[in-house]
Amino acid sequence: MSSQRPAPFFPASARSGGLPRLCFVSYRQIRGFAMPVVAEYTGRAEIEVLDGTFGDALAIARDRLERGLVDAFVSAGSNASILRAGLQAPVATIQLTGFDLLQALIQARRISSRVGVVMYGQTIPELDEVKDLLNIEVMQHAYRTPDDARQRFEQLRRAGFEVIVGSSLVVELAEQAGLHGLLAYSLASVRKGFEDALELARVARLEAGRYEQLNSVLHNLQEAVLAVDRDNRVIAVNPPMQQLLGPAHARPIGEWLERIEPELSLQATLDSGQVERAVVQRFAQRDWVVNRTPIREHGEIVGAALTLYDARAIQEADTRLRIQQGRRQNAARHRFGDLIGQSPAFLRAVQTGRRFARTDLTVLIVGESGVGKELFAQSIHNDSLRAGRPFVAVNCAAFPEALLESELFGYEEGAFTGSRRGGKRGLFEAAHTGTLFLDEIGDMPLQLQTRLLRVLQEREITRLGATGAIPVDVRVIAATHQPLPGMIAERRFRQDLFYRLNTLRLPLPPLRERREDIAPLALAQVARCLQRLGTPLDAARALAPLLARLRAYDWPGNIRELENLGERIAVFLMQFERLDDIRYDELAHDLPELFADANAEPAGGGALNAARVAAALAAQGGNRQAAARQLGVSRSTLWRWQREHGA
């Protein structure tokens, strides 16, 4: 076969329309001999004929290839070997056949009975038989370099040979010495070389079109990607990968990947055909998540692809995703229509909340812990013109003073030790154009109360460590269970801030003042829990025997405590398959609050609160945190009840 397998990538000419572009690189002798054949192919290809010798053939060919002027090369002898070894491009070779040599010897016999033969590569043993048939003396030599060719030629000249058969270089040497030089090629061999070149160009264009599509896709990817062919030669590299490979491998196309970067080898993927995903690998002093994937055509493996994902980028994306999920979780999900209750006190609160939603004024929601202050804040937001905009909630009692300040107002890079690179925007900025819900506002430190007052007055914030103010468009809804007027008298809360927050005041009733709502609230909670637990019991019928106790209970933890007890009731009920199997007398172990005083009647809450607190503390061995969790209230609320009622 007189051709080399096409290289995996070619310049733009290989993918352009029009005739194939061939480059005929030759010595002067074979060039002149082949010109009739070149003329035959004028309508089938664009052919550039170039003089090339050992020294400059490769440089000339590379220049044409890099400039996108050629699809395939045609050459013979030493030039063909040099091009094949030095280029990652298709090279068609004009082969010397036995018939060609026989014709040359017959022609030489007409001139002399002594003929010298000097060919590139190796000698031809079959000449010993031919010379006897032709009745001539033949001495042959082979060469590898121009100097080697000259030495062999000189040996024949000194031996008295006047006719030399050989390659272009040898014929040229013979003519320079005044001897007869005969080219050992036929026009048929030249024609065959050009036919092979056309086929190589056709295949090269097909493959180049495929690889251009691949490169176009890879070029737009952020990840570092390369692909190899079935021989593990690089066929495509995108800019991020090229940057990783560095200037030492500025032209990786066509090179073996093993030689470029053994650490990135795809040979195992080519051999096994197995996909390798999410492998952590250290490369170029960085951590990467690596995918290795075979490329198949019609079920056959024709190559493989390598993708490097920057581990830092993955971590950052994970962080952004978590932040986005957090924002969705903090979005206002509740609406007035979702709230359960028909008691006069509750309906009055809803009516007031809807009225407040039609304004953009600051609202202060007051009420005991667990009455649903954030649910009302979300409902006001969703019923206002700011619906669909950010709703950001922060519990002022949940952060230390320094941390709460940075959370609310943000900070510039370097504002304090441990600050995030690039700084961070605060919750006021995050809530821009929307609503900021400040829960437990009574627990905000006095210093921050001063800053908050300024924000409410000026409608702008200044990040920690910054000098410039940032305008913000935020509606503030605050909430507290604490008696702010009393705190003002004790100088624990700023009076001017109170008046700013108390523009619109929304008091929410405790659950003991809306007993008509206890049954529907408990039913909704138990039904949700039973469904989540996969229990088919009818919630209304299962809960019916407990309704009297639920209504009689004083609910010191309000709706939050009701939700807590509803969970426990559902978990208790899940062990029974039928309603008739439920042993309600055993429920006292799981709900001591409801069974602490079976004969007690609700009478305002004070004594009953004390009884509930005492029962919870006894059940939890005096552990206040566990008792508060059982009651569904905070530790501060539990402590307040103990102070107020001596429990």
Side-chain angles (χ1 to χ4, degrees):
M1 178 67 179
S2 60
S3 63
Q4 176 182 330
R5 183 177 179 273
F9 174 84
F10 301 99
S13 62
R15 300 181 294 278
S16 62
L19 297 175
R21 296 181 180 183
L22 305 182
C23 186
F24 180 30
V25 182
S26 66
Y27 280 82
R28 179 176 57 84
Q29 298 295 331
I30 196 170
R31 182 195 65 196
F33 177 75
M35 288 310 293
V37 176
V38 173
E40 293 177 14
Y41 284 84
T42 301
R44 299 174 60 189
E46 296 179 11
I47 302 174
E48 182 181 17
V49 180
L50 297 173
D51 283 342
T53 63
F54 265 86
D56 59 8
L58 187 58
I60 292 172
R62 281 178 175 166
D63 174 72
R64 295 302 191 273
L65 192 63
E66 291 173 1
R67 290 164 56 192
L69 301 176
V70 62
D71 298 328
F73 292 92
V74 188
S75 195
S78 60
N79 277 343
S81 296
I82 292 171
L83 295 181
R84 284 200 305 272
L87 297 177
Q88 298 301 326
V91 179
T93 303
I94 298 174
Q95 298 279 12
L96 176 66
T97 68
F99 182 72
D100 292 342
L101 191 56
L102 179 59
Q103 284 186 315
L105 290 176
I106 291 173
Q107 186 178 353
R109 175 66 181 82
R110 298 178 185 145
I111 302 172
S112 173
S113 61
R114 300 180 73 230
V115 179
V117 177
V118 183
M119 299 300 302
Y120 176 79
Q122 60 187 13
T123 59
I124 305 173
E126 291 78 9
L127 282 182
D128 293 333
E129 299 177 7
V130 173
K131 67 181 180 180
D132 293 336
L133 292 174
L134 296 178
N135 192 25
I136 60 175
E137 179 185 350
V138 176
M139 181 176 290
Q140 64 172 325
H141 294 288
Y143 69 92
R144 289 289 180 182
T145 66
D147 288 340
D148 195 16
R150 292 187 183 92
Q151 292 176 11
R152 303 307 179 209
F153 170 76
E154 284 298 322
Q155 290 178 4
L156 292 174
R157 188 181 65 80
R158 288 194 298 268
F161 286 87
E162 297 181 354
V163 179
I164 308 297
V165 175
S167 64
S168 292
L169 174 60
V170 173
V171 171
E172 187 172 324
L173 291 172
E175 291 181 348
Q176 290 173 356
L179 304 180
H180 292 283
L182 298 177
L183 196 62
Y185 290 97
S186 67
L187 291 178
S189 295
V190 175
R191 195 172 289 111
K192 178 64 165 58
F194 275 87
E195 287 292 336
D196 289 343
L198 284 176
E199 178 61 16
L200 289 177
R202 185 189 69 82
V203 174
R205 287 193 170 199
L206 290 176
E207 291 199 4
R210 290 166 44 215
Y211 293 132
E212 181 174 13
Q213 290 180 342
L214 177 61
N215 274 282
S216 297
V217 173
L218 298 187
H219 187 84
N220 294 308
L221 296 179
Q222 299 294 324
E223 298 78 24
V225 185
L226 65 78
V228 299
D229 63 10
R230 62 172 63 88
D231 296 324
N232 206 21
R233 288 178 183 267
V234 177
I235 59 175
V237 173
N238 73 341
M241 179 63 78
Q242 184 66 70
Q243 186 175 4
L244 280 176
L245 297 179
H249 303 290
R251 297 176 180 171
I253 302 301
E255 297 292 333
W256 278 287
L257 183 55
E258 293 282 354
R259 294 181 181 175
I260 298 175
E261 288 292 348
E263 299 175 69
L264 303 181
S265 175
L266 284 164
Q267 190 59 56
T269 306
L270 293 169
D271 293 340
S272 68
Q274 299 297 314
V275 176
E276 190 177 26
R277 296 193 184 279
V279 176
V280 179
Q281 182 172 336
R282 186 77 175 172
F283 175 68
Q285 300 181 338
R286 289 161 65 183
D287 291 323
W288 304 90
V289 177
V290 182
N291 286 355
R292 290 179 171 86
T293 310
I295 300 173
R296 300 177 185 271
E297 287 185 4
H298 309 295
E300 179 185 356
I301 296 176
V302 296
L306 174 77
T307 307
L308 302 182
Y309 299 88
D310 191 340
R312 293 176 301 181
I314 293 176
Q315 292 169 348
E316 291 171 1
D318 178 67
T319 300
R320 288 194 296 269
L321 179 61
R322 291 174 184 272
I323 291 173
Q324 186 63 32
Q325 290 174 338
R327 288 173 180 167
R328 287 198 296 268
Q329 291 169 358
N330 290 330
R333 302 185 302 275
H334 298 283
R335 299 177 179 274
F336 285 118
D338 303 330
L339 305 182
I340 298 174
Q342 291 297 321
S343 64
F346 173 77
L347 293 178
R348 184 167 53 251
V350 170
Q351 182 182 14
T352 303
R354 289 185 183 277
R355 179 159 41 88
F356 289 174
R358 293 196 293 271
T359 77
D360 208 30
L361 299 174
T362 303
V363 178
L364 178 63
I365 304 176
V366 296
E368 297 178 6
S369 293
V371 294
K373 294 187 284 293
E374 183 169 354
L375 271 64
F376 268 78
Q378 291 187 20
S379 299
I380 291 172
H381 172 82
N382 280 328
D383 216 37
S384 73
L385 295 177
R386 295 178 182 261
R389 301 297 180 88
F391 178 89
V392 179
V394 59
N395 189 318
C396 298
F399 294 93
E401 179 177 348
L403 183 56
L404 178 60
E405 185 176 20
S406 66
E407 286 293 314
L408 285 174
F409 304 107
Y411 55 81
E412 294 295 315
E413 181 175 349
F416 53 86
T417 302
S419 60
R420 181 194 298 178
R421 183 177 180 182
K424 176 187 175 184
R425 69 173 186 166
L427 297 181
F428 269 101
E429 291 180 71
H432 181 61
T433 73
T435 301
L436 178 64
F437 175 56
L438 299 175
D439 198 8
E440 304 292 357
I441 190 68
D443 293 301
M444 177 176 283
L446 279 170
Q447 181 181 351
L448 292 190
Q449 292 179 29
T450 302
R451 290 201 64 181
L452 175 60
L453 176 62
R454 181 171 180 80
V455 172
L456 295 178
Q457 290 174 337
E458 306 297 334
R459 296 294 169 178
E460 60 183 24
I461 62 100
T462 303
R463 291 183 178 183
L464 297 181
T467 56
I470 302 173
V472 289
D473 173 18
V474 175
R475 181 185 195 177
V476 172
I477 299 178
T480 185
H481 69 275
Q482 298 194 34
L484 294 186
M487 295 179 65
I488 292 171
E490 297 172 0
R491 298 185 180 277
R492 291 191 294 125
F493 200 85
R494 290 185 62 109
Q495 187 177 43
D496 46 4
L497 176 60
F498 173 74
Y499 290 133
R500 281 283 179 183
L501 296 174
N502 200 40
T503 305
L504 299 178
R505 184 174 181 274
L506 176 60
L508 298 184
L511 193 54
R512 61 181 174 273
E513 294 180 7
R514 41 182 296 213
R515 295 191 179 276
E516 305 96 315
D517 300 332
I518 292 175
L521 285 167
L523 177 59
Q525 176 67 6
V526 172
R528 281 195 300 269
C529 297
L530 289 176
Q531 183 179 19
R532 188 174 66 249
L533 295 170
T535 302
L537 291 177
D538 181 274
R541 295 175 62 191
L543 196 61
L546 297 174
L547 289 181
R549 290 185 178 276
L550 292 172
R551 292 191 185 99
Y553 184 54
D554 212 33
W555 300 106
N558 294 294
I559 297 175
R560 185 181 296 122
E561 185 183 8
L562 184 144
E563 292 174 345
N564 180 304
L565 266 64
E567 293 274 3
R568 280 188 269 162
I569 291 172
V571 172
F572 172 81
L573 294 174
M574 68 179 290
Q575 64 184 308
F576 304 106
E577 295 183 1
R578 299 182 308 141
L579 291 171
D580 293 341
D581 297 335
I582 300 174
R583 298 183 294 275
Y584 289 96
D585 56 326
E586 297 179 2
L587 193 57
H589 179 271
D590 289 8
L591 280 80
E593 302 95 323
L594 294 184
F595 293 84
D597 186 356
N599 298 318
E601 294 292 335
L608 198 54
N609 275 353
R612 299 291 87 79
V613 170
L617 286 170
Q620 300 298 334
N623 187 316
R624 285 192 178 89
Q625 183 171 350
R629 188 182 307 113
Q630 176 178 315
L631 291 170
V633 299
S634 66
R635 289 184 63 186
S636 61
T637 299
L638 178 64
W639 182 260
R640 177 166 55 82
W641 287 346
Q642 286 184 280
R643 285 203 322 265
E644 292 173 354
H645 306 298

